[in-house]
């Protein structure tokens, strides 16, 4: 790492001078993560040392440290335990699991044991909703934890063992569809792309009508074309694996079982837009997958699928992996880019868009994990085949992560246009009261809407489906979602920062005495302001779940 590097460099973009991040600054977050893992916290001296090393003010280092939930300024225990409190885990009894840990360790949520062996913390969601209630012990994901299991988990850690029993293991896909979870011949798509040429690939992807699978639904072909025509010396492909939406875990399954396909999709994107570097940005909760993913990348290099002269063609591309550090907002693509550059993961103003001014100020395509996989199948089987699978405006299939009150939680591949009632049937849900579609930022529908369809025409979703049966109090769930947003807001813009606590006040009042007509009018007016004036999707969507619960269940 270069000593005393500059923080930023000057570039000319669209005739204007602008300052963008220097590549060495991008090493700040990994350097902080390394210290956190080694010492359990980042001291003032560490921050001063890093400030000297990176040539920046210590306050800047401090501002980065305090942004990310996984970075601590107070020493954590040798083993840090995170208990997920997402709605699925809450329904499955996470409060009792937390109580059992508190009793076993003799500390409260947020504290460290006197001997420094353990620290305990609740976490918004750890991507294990199908194995609820779930916890992270160090970097290991452990599912279906009962209060009775807690003492043996602690004992295993005390004996220096890694907890195994009840641990998440891949191979639990519940429904394989025609596209995403189908096996492809390794590299057939990449080889086909290389021989058909850049223009043909761009055309095939555009023609397929595939839209971003993260939830926003921007047409992938349009995004790739914009990046392809952008003039720059360097371009990047970033795969967004920072799925932090409560109720979402499909990327975890794709990365643990279809990683090569994900990387192949990234390589196809890179070939199409003319990029040479790719980055997989993976949520910190999936750190335990890291070594396996690195091995797969090595294997791909040996097989000639990454590196220089890929499959004998003059195409150069390689992928590195970066970990997030527990900030939900980094799932927003510009916040993710900020995080990659070693900054606080705060969303940027748009325009400029990443396809023109992304990572390091260069054109960058940010694609969801599922989108990368879809592209591989589109290139292999063709745009026409893909289009026929969905509805008019929603081509292809969709992965959904189903959790909550059903017999068979897990990842399902469905065709767009599938009804909520069909999902309830295939997952063995009974006595269903409500279904939250799209996680915390989505909407909550009741029985009268169970005929509605998953599609961009009706109910779009990034994939989270949480089922609640008739025993659940939906206002409790609304509170869970609002507290999640309060915790995760980056605080950068006023409507979101100030609006979410006011939403929580309305929620408290609704629980206590109900909302008057005037309260409701004020609530809707606030929600409208937040939806219109918040800078990113977090603030814009934060009232959705609460409003739909009030409308459908109060
Ligand atoms: Fe940050 Fe919320 Fe504004 Fe997004 S809407 S930039 S999360 S304060």
């Amino acid at each position: 790492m270069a000593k005393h590097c500059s923080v930023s460099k000057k570039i000319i973009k669209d005739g204007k001078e602008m300052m963008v991040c220097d590549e060495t600054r991008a090493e700040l977050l990994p350097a902080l993560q390394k210290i956190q893992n080694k010492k359990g916290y980042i001291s003032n001296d560490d921050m001063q040392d890093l400030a000297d090393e990176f040539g920046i003010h210590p306050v800047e280092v401090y501002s980065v440290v305090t942004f990310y939930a996984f970075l601590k300024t107070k020493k954590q225990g040798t083993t840090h335990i995170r208990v997920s409190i997402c709605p699925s885990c809450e329904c499955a009894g996470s409060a009792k699991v937390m109580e059992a840990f508190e009793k076993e360790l003799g500390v409260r949520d947020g504290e460290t044991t006197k001997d420094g062996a353990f620290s305990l913390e609740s976490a918004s969601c750890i991507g294990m909703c199908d194995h609820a209630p779930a916890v992270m012990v160090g970097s290991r994901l452990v599912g279906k934890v009962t209060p009775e299991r807690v003492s043996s988990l602690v004992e295993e850690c005390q004996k220096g063992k890694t907890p195994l029993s009840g641990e998440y293991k891949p191979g639990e896909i519940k429904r394989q569809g025609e596209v995403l979870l189908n096996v492809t011949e390794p590299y057939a798509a990449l080889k086909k792309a290389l021989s058909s040429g850049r223009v043909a690939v761009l055309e095939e992807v555009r023609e397929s009508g595939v839209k971003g699978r993260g939830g926003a639904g921007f047409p992938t072909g349009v995004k790739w074309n914009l990046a392809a025509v952008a003039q720059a010396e360097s371009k990047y492909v970033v795969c967004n694996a920072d799925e932090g939406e409560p109720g979402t875990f499909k990327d975890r399954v794709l990365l643990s079982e279809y990683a090569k396909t994900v990387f192949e999709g990234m390589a196809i994107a890179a070939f199409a837009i003319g990029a040479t570097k790719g980055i997989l940005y993976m949520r910190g909760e999936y750190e335990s997958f890291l070594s396996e993913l690195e091995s797969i990348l090595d294997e791909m290099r040996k097989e000639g699928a990454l590196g220089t002269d890929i499959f004998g063609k003059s195409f150069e591309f390689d992928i590195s992996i970066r970990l997030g550090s527990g900030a939900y907002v980094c799932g927003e693509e510009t916040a993710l880019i900020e995080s990659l550059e070693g900054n606080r993961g705060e969303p940027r103003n748009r325009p400029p868009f990443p396809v023109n001014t992304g990572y390091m100020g260069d054109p960058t395509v940010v694609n969801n994990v599922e989108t990368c996989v879809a592209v591989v199948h589109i290139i292999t089987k063709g745009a026409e085949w893909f289009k026929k699978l969905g509805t008019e405006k929603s081509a292809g299939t969709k992965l959904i992560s189903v959790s909550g009150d059903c017999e068979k939680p897990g990842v399902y591949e469905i065709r767009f246009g599938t009804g909520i009632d069909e999902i309830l049937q295939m997952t063995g849900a009974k006595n269903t009261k409500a279904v939250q579609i799209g996680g915390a930022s989505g909407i909550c529908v009741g029985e009268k809407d169970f005929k509605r369809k998953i599609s961009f025409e009706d109910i779009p979703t990034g994939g989270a489906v949480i089922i609640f049966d008739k025993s659940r109090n939906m206002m409790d769930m609304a509170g869970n979602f609002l507290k999640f947003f309060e915790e995760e807001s980056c605080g950068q813009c006023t409507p979101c920062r100030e609006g979410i606590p006011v939403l929580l006040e309305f929620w408290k009042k609704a629980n206590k005495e109900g909302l008057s007509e005037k309260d409701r009018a004020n609530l809707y007016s606030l929600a409208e302001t937040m939806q219109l004036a918040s800078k990113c999707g977090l603030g814009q969507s934060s009232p959705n779940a609460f409003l739909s619960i009030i409308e459908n269940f109060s």
Side-chain angles (χ1 to χ4, degrees), residues 329 332 345-348 485 488-497 500 530 533-540:
V329 72
E332 196 278 341
E346 290 175 347
R348 295 174 176 172
F485 284 123
E488 298 294 341
S489 166
C490 81
Q492 198 189 162
C493 64
T494 312
C496 172
R497 185 186 62 240
I500 294 170
M530 293 174 72
S534 294
K535 192 168 168 181
C536 83
L538 189 152
Q540 290 157 9

Side-chain angles (χ1 to χ4, degrees), residues 149-172:
R149 169 83 174 102
V150 163
S151 60
S152 58
L153 267 176
V154 170
E155 203 182 309
E156 284 163 34
C157 294
Q158 281 163 337
K159 287 181 181 163
K161 286 188 198 158
T162 311
L164 284 173
S165 153
E167 190 174 11
Y168 160 72
K169 289 181 199 71
E172 304 201 16

